[in-house]
Structure formats: structure tokens, C-alpha cells
Amino acid sequence: MPIMIYPEKMDPAAVSAHAAEIANVKNPMLASLCLITGSTLGGSKEYLTSIINAKDVDKLEYGESLCVFSPTGSGKTKAMELIIAALSSDSHLIVLANRRICKIQLLKDFVKCQNISGALIEKIKVNDNVEVMTYQEFARKKHKYQGKKLVLICDECHCFAEDATFSLHPQHVVNFLNSNLDNTKRIYITATPSDVLPILWDIENLSDKPLCPFDPDNIQHFLRVTPDADCTRIKHTYIMQSDWTYLKFAVYHPAKRKELAEYIQKFCAQGKKALIYINDMEAGAEMQELLGDSQRIYSSDDKKDEIKKIALQEGFDASALVTTKVAENGWSIHDDNLSLIVAETCDMVELQQIIGRARVGRKKPREIQVLIPDYDLSLLGNMEGKLYMQLSAFQKAADNPDFALQYLNQPNPYVCYDAILKKPLVNRIGLQQLRTQLNHIRALKTEEQKNSHAFVRKVLETYGKPTEGMEELFLDYDITKACQQRIVSAWGKYKCSNCDPDALKALKEELKAACNETGAYPKELKSNIQIDTVNDILLFAGIHEIVSPEIRRFEITDRSSSALSADV
């Protein structure tokens, strides 16, 4: 009789029981991490401090870590404040932020000062033993902390993957973590863990086993290939659930800039505000010109003062703000007028981060409309080509770093000279992330060839929205035409029926639904509609026939012959 050997503390019954608890964790890799490390899940209406507090960090030994995967607006700043307050005076805490605007907002929240000037905010010191800096700043002076005891809060840690395609600082920080594991306590925080999970596992894994996706239908296999909890430095995973019911999606075509601009202008004319993310300076400039009166942030270098102002007031003055990757994640906009977000990206992590810029209450969120692009095969092909060229450049530098170091301009995102190691440092994370992105685009292309609107369908499925009838979400969707088509269809079914009272009742219900659901008919139909209204609706659809009541049947009569009979 064969004997199955499972990792210590894990058996089929325990895994099955725990799997039921994490049923809402849709990401198979994240579900696997929850099972290995143990996990605590918070509800979509709760805040992070309900499941994690400073004592959880105090329990950590140097060399250990925690993962906190919490959506935007779930109270992670408050949780960090409690951690800071509970730290002993001999602990040195560094909070890392992935953008300057995030650093400014963290400092503002930590010091509880609402009226501080932009010139002073970055000079503030939270405590003698607490520092707040960007990952870029930490990468530049990481040698100062080499070998020292540190508590590191890696906020928005998805930047390890996301920023690696255009910068070397994620590779610098990851290398520092790898060489200082026993000297640091690490808390990884992000709302979008999917892309960064493999990187975190590589840092924290003590075995040679990879993090395998959890398959609830094959627990036996999962247990055979899954490392034991003792094989990772991660001691616990905290997850706050998301509620996406407040999101309303619409779809536009990226090539139809004028149509998009007109829609935004009409929306903002109602006193609302729009955040427009287009990670391309030329396309962003075109959109800004079409919009007219709007703000823009394309880089942190030419907009330092404006970035500080937006960070401190947690909002922008114009009706619309056009931005690129510099302000795509981590920062908060607390403005009830921000109700429209344009997210021109094919990256699901970027999309979720952009949506998260608009802060809404977790208990009673206001409705946010999100415009997403419909990428056809041509546009996906262009993305594939650009990614392939970018990946080729990374690969050439990785294959011959000495040559790249000598002949490529510095700084570049591929390779740099490490003065401590006295050898080239290659951006391996960026290389892997580009491969992941290229595979994502190719998978979308394959799906698009089988069924159009593949990206739109993927977004709707991710956020739990129905994909049936999604054509109605397109900005160029003709509601009048759609309504008329439904009326014609309902009338065709009635004509093929016995035209009895039951058939008439079914016709009325279909006509009422067509008119109310599309909003194209001039009147809202609330109760049982009369035959005169039925005939008016038919005329609205261009149907020149009417329902005329007879003793036993509701007959179909030509509208023109009916009029002629009346004249006679």
C-alpha cells in the first residue's frame, strides 16, 4: 500500500478545511501562500486594524516577515501608525513608498498636520527612530543600512515587479533584502499582490520549492509539491477582501480620442471630476489639448510643486487631471466629485491601482465610473511588438553586461556597476517581468482571435461584472437603435403567436423592458401598459402595424389601411 508523505503540519483534512475559509481568494498563487503561512481574512466592510495590530509585528523575530494584502482605502496608514507608536525606542523603522507623492501623503498623515507647506513636508522627521523615504532614495543610500537591525515596511511593494521594467531600483532593494534577511523584520503591503508574489517568495523562501498554485480539486498533488510552513520566513498573511459593486464600467476605443474627450467634457460639465491615466506622453498631450482646461502630470521632475500640492490637499483643482505612471498608484484623492476614471492600460495591476486613487468609504462607497479601452488585434499586436523590442534590449544587456556597461548610456534600466560587489548589476527582475507582460499580451491576442473584446471581457470577469450584453457599455453604443431592435424582435415573436391575451401580456413586458432598460423611449413605463402605448412604441421602432382588439383575438392591422378605413 503506497504511503503519501505530506509537509509537516499539513494534511488533506486540514487543507480542505482551510481552503473553505479562503474560498474568496481567487488568485491560486495567493491561496497557496495563505495555506502555507496561515492567514487572516478581513471582510469587505472592515478595516485593516480589525485583523492586524502592532503586537503582530512585535512578535516577529529579526529575519521574519509578514504579508499584508489590503485594498486601497482599507486603513493601512492607520495600521502603520499603530506599528510606529508601539515600536521600542531602540528599533529603527523605515517606511518605503514607491512614489514621491505617496511619501508626502504618508508624512502628512503621520504628523497629523493639515496646513504644512510643500517646502517643509519632506524635511519632517516622524520620530528619531522612524524614516519615510521612497524606494529610489533607499536604493541610493542602502550601503548606510547594510548589516544594521531594521524594521522595514515595504508599502506598495508591487513596485518590485511594476517599476522594474523601467528602473533598476527594485533590483537594488531586493538585493539589499536578500543580503540582510537576518537583520531585518519585513512587512510587505500592497493592494495588488499577483505580479509581486513570485518575487516575495524568492526573497523569503528557505527551500528550493517554488510557490505552486493551489488547486482545490487536486489537494493530493498540491500537498506533494508544496513546501512546508517552516520553509518560508513569512509568518502570516493578512488579506482584506474587496467590494467592487460601486464600480460601473464603460468602454471606449483608444483611437477615438475626440469621442472620449467629448464624453469627459459632458461628464465634467455636471460639476464632476475626471482622472485620466494614459501612460504615453504624446497621447496624454493630445488628450489634454482636446479637453482644454485640464491639469497634467507627466513626470515628477517638471511638476514637483504641483505634485506636493495635490498630495497635501489630496485632490486636484481642475475638472480633469491627465497623468502618466508617475501618479498612477499609491496616492489618495479624497474628493467626492471625482466620479470618472479613464484607465488606458492593458495591465490588470495598473488598472486596479488607478481605480484605487479615488478614495471611497468601505461601508458606503459612492459610484465610480471607469472607462476602459477596447484593444483590438491591431493594438494588441503593436503592444506585443514594443514589449518584444524592450525585452530584446534587456536580454542583450543581461547576456553581455560588461559590454552594456561600457557602451550603453548610464543610467539605464538594464545594468549598472555595483561599487560594493565590484561587478555589473543586471536587472533580472525587469527581464522576468517583461516576459510575464509579453505572455499576457500574447494570451489576450489568442483570445481576441477567438472572441472579440477579450480585454474588456477579462476586466468585467475580474471585477465580478456580467459579460452578457456588454456591447451596451461602449461609448458609441446607439441606445435608440438597440431599443428599436429589441422592439422589432418582440413584435416578431408576437406575430408568430396566437395573438391571445397571454401573448399580448408577454409582448407588453418585453416592450416595457426594452424601453426602460435602454432609456431610449421618451417615457418611463412603470405599470401595465395600454394598447395605445403598445402601438406608440411600435411606431417608435418604425413598425407600421398596430394591435387592434377583437372579441377573441388581438389582431394585427396595417397602420395605413386602418387609417384609410377610418376615413371611409
Side-chain angles (χ1 to χ4, degrees):
M1 179 177 178
I3 298 174
M4 308 295 290
I5 300 175
Y6 301 102
E8 186 183 355
K9 300 175 186 175
M10 293 184 74
D11 60 74
V15 171
S16 296
H18 200 172
E21 296 175 5
I22 61 169
N24 290 326
V25 179
K26 305 301 183 185
N27 185 321
M29 298 289 277
L30 181 52
S32 180
L33 186 68
C34 289
L35 288 167
I36 295 169
T37 65
S39 60
T40 304
L41 272 66
S44 61
K45 303 297 183 183
E46 294 181 291
Y47 289 90
L48 185 56
T49 49
S50 67
I51 66 169
I52 183 174
N53 55 51
K55 292 180 180 179
D56 296 303
V57 179
D58 290 340
K59 294 175 185 175
L60 283 181
E61 301 289 340
Y62 281 99
E64 297 178 344
S65 62
L66 295 173
C67 287
V68 182
F69 302 137
S70 180
T72 54
S74 58
K76 65 177 183 179
T77 303
K78 182 64 176 177
M80 282 192 275
E81 289 174 4
L82 294 177
I83 291 171
I84 291 172
L87 274 179
S88 61
S89 58
D90 58 347
S91 297
H92 187 176
L93 172 69
I94 298 179
V95 181
L96 297 176
N98 67 330
R99 298 287 185 269
R100 177 181 289 149
I101 199 166
C102 307
K103 172 188 171 181
I104 293 170
Q105 288 190 331
L106 282 173
L107 285 168
K108 175 192 168 189
D109 290 337
F110 288 162
V111 299
K112 306 296 181 187
C113 183
Q114 299 299 319
N115 299 316
I116 193 165
S117 69
L120 294 176
I121 186 67
E122 291 190 82
K123 297 179 181 179
I124 284 180
K125 201 168 185 180
V126 180
N127 273 333
D128 289 337
N129 61 333
V130 177
E131 294 182 85
V132 180
M133 65 182 77
T134 64
Y135 285 94
Q136 295 91 323
E137 290 170 332
F138 183 81
R140 286 196 295 269
K141 53 185 180 181
K142 63 185 186 300
H143 59 279
K144 295 181 179 179
Y145 306 104
Q146 190 74 29
K148 294 183 178 179
K149 297 288 186 183
L150 297 174
V151 179
L152 286 170
I153 295 180
C154 299
D155 193 20
E156 310 291 349
C157 67
H158 57 271
C159 72
F160 289 155
E162 187 180 3
D163 292 2
T165 59
F166 60 85
S167 174
L168 268 159
H169 76 261
Q171 188 70 63
H172 280 294
V173 176
V174 168
N175 283 7
F176 173 86
L177 295 176
N178 280 321
S179 61
N180 288 271
L181 288 172
D182 292 331
N183 296 317
T184 56
K185 300 179 184 181
R186 300 164 300 283
I187 300 97
Y188 301 106
I189 302 177
T190 180
T192 51
S194 55
D195 282 359
V196 77
L197 268 182
I199 298 173
L200 299 184
W201 184 256
D202 285 344
I203 295 170
E204 303 295 336
N205 187 17
L206 295 170
S207 72
D208 295 330
K209 288 189 176 182
L211 182 63
C212 298
F214 172 64
D215 182 2
D217 297 325
N218 194 349
I219 290 177
Q220 301 276 353
H221 173 73
F222 170 75
L223 289 170
R224 285 197 297 272
V225 300
T226 300
D228 178 16
D230 291 339
C231 290
T232 176
R233 295 173 181 265
I234 301 172
K235 295 306 162 186
H236 204 75
T237 300
Y238 298 88
I239 299 178
M240 299 299 294
Q241 296 177 13
S242 301
D243 176 15
W244 304 118
T245 54
Y246 70 94
L247 296 178
K248 179 182 177 183
F249 287 93
V251 183
Y252 71 97
H253 195 283
K256 298 180 179 180
R257 297 282 180 211
K258 188 175 180 181
E259 179 186 86
L260 175 61
E262 289 174 353
Y263 184 89
I264 295 170
Q265 286 172 329
K266 288 179 182 177
F267 192 93
C268 293
Q270 305 171 35
K272 302 294 186 179
K273 289 187 177 182
L275 175 65
I276 303 136
Y277 173 79
I278 303 178
N279 198 30
D280 180 280
M281 287 191 181
E282 290 184 8
E286 180 186 356
M287 178 54 60
Q288 188 190 14
E289 184 177 349
L290 288 170
L291 289 173
D293 184 23
S294 64
Q295 288 177 259
R296 69 170 179 87
I297 298 179
Y298 297 158
S299 74
S300 57
D301 293 329
D302 66 338
K303 291 285 183 176
K304 288 182 180 179
D305 292 338
E306 196 166 345
I307 285 175
K308 287 182 180 179
K309 182 180 178 182
I310 290 174
L312 291 172
Q313 70 183 26
E314 297 183 344
F316 50 90
D317 297 327
S319 60
L321 173 65
V322 183
T323 181
T324 59
K325 206 174 188 73
V326 69
E328 141 261 1
N329 68 70
W331 55 304
S332 306
I333 301 178
H334 292 273
D335 188 337
D336 289 343
N337 289 323
L338 176 56
S339 303
L340 177 66
I341 295 175
V342 180
E344 189 158 309
T345 177
C346 197
D347 187 304
M348 297 302 293
V349 170
E350 279 187 0
L351 175 64
Q352 189 171 337
Q353 286 292 330
I354 297 158
I355 292 173
R357 296 317 99 228
R359 291 296 194 255
V360 297
R362 273 177 78 78
K363 296 185 177 179
K364 292 184 179 180
R366 70 181 185 279
E367 183 178 274
I368 301 288
Q369 184 169 30
V370 182
L371 295 185
I372 55 174
D374 180 33
Y375 292 115
D376 56 24
L377 277 174
S378 175
L379 291 171
L380 290 172
N382 289 339
M383 291 183 203
E384 181 185 22
K386 290 178 181 178
L387 280 172
Y388 181 79
M389 294 300 293
Q390 195 177 359
L391 179 60
S392 297
F394 266 74
Q395 190 64 62
K396 286 178 182 178
D399 292 341
N400 196 343
D402 291 318
F403 177 86
L405 199 60
Q406 184 174 357
Y407 292 102
L408 294 181
N409 292 332
Q410 294 288 333
N412 63 62
Y414 318 120
V415 63
C416 70
Y417 183 73
D418 192 309
I420 297 176
L421 298 177
K422 301 187 184 307
K423 65 178 184 180
L425 173 69
V426 176
N427 190 353
R428 302 287 177 186
I429 299 176
L431 192 63
Q432 183 55 47
Q433 184 63 13
L434 283 170
R435 291 189 184 120
T436 300
Q437 291 180 1
L438 187 58
N439 290 336
H440 167 65
I441 295 298
R442 286 173 173 170
L444 278 177
K445 273 187 66 181
T446 301
E447 184 61 32
E448 183 72 18
Q449 289 169 338
K450 298 176 184 176
N451 199 356
S452 59
H453 315 307
F455 177 69
V456 175
R457 190 173 293 101
K458 181 178 178 63
V459 172
L460 296 177
E461 290 172 350
T462 300
Y463 287 90
K465 307 295 181 180
T467 56
E468 297 82 5
M470 65 179 180
E471 291 78 11
E472 298 177 15
L473 302 179
F474 286 74
L475 295 189
D476 57 0
Y477 177 70
D478 190 334
I479 59 171
T480 301
K481 183 178 179 181
C483 181
Q484 290 172 342
Q485 287 175 342
R486 291 177 63 174
I487 294 170
V488 170
S489 175
W491 180 242
K493 286 191 285 185
Y494 180 75
K495 289 175 70 174
C496 293
S497 72
N498 293 326
C499 300
D500 55 18
D502 288 339
L504 181 64
K505 182 179 179 181
L507 173 65
K508 289 181 177 181
E509 289 301 317
E510 289 195 49
L511 295 182
K512 185 164 65 172
C515 294
N516 288 344
E517 290 175 10
T518 62
Y521 190 67
K523 302 175 184 177
E524 184 180 2
L525 308 174
K526 294 182 179 180
S527 58
N528 180 41
I529 58 178
Q530 303 301 312
I531 289 181
D532 287 346
T533 304
V534 169
N535 291 329
D536 285 342
I537 294 171
L538 295 177
L539 185 61
F540 171 76
I543 298 171
H544 296 286
E545 294 173 307
I546 61 173
V547 177
S548 53
E550 297 293 335
I551 297 176
R552 295 183 179 179
R553 286 164 50 89
F554 292 90
E555 296 189 348
I556 300 169
T557 308
D558 182 85
R559 200 177 290 266
S560 58
S561 63
S562 174
L564 181 62
S565 299
D567 291 339
V568 174

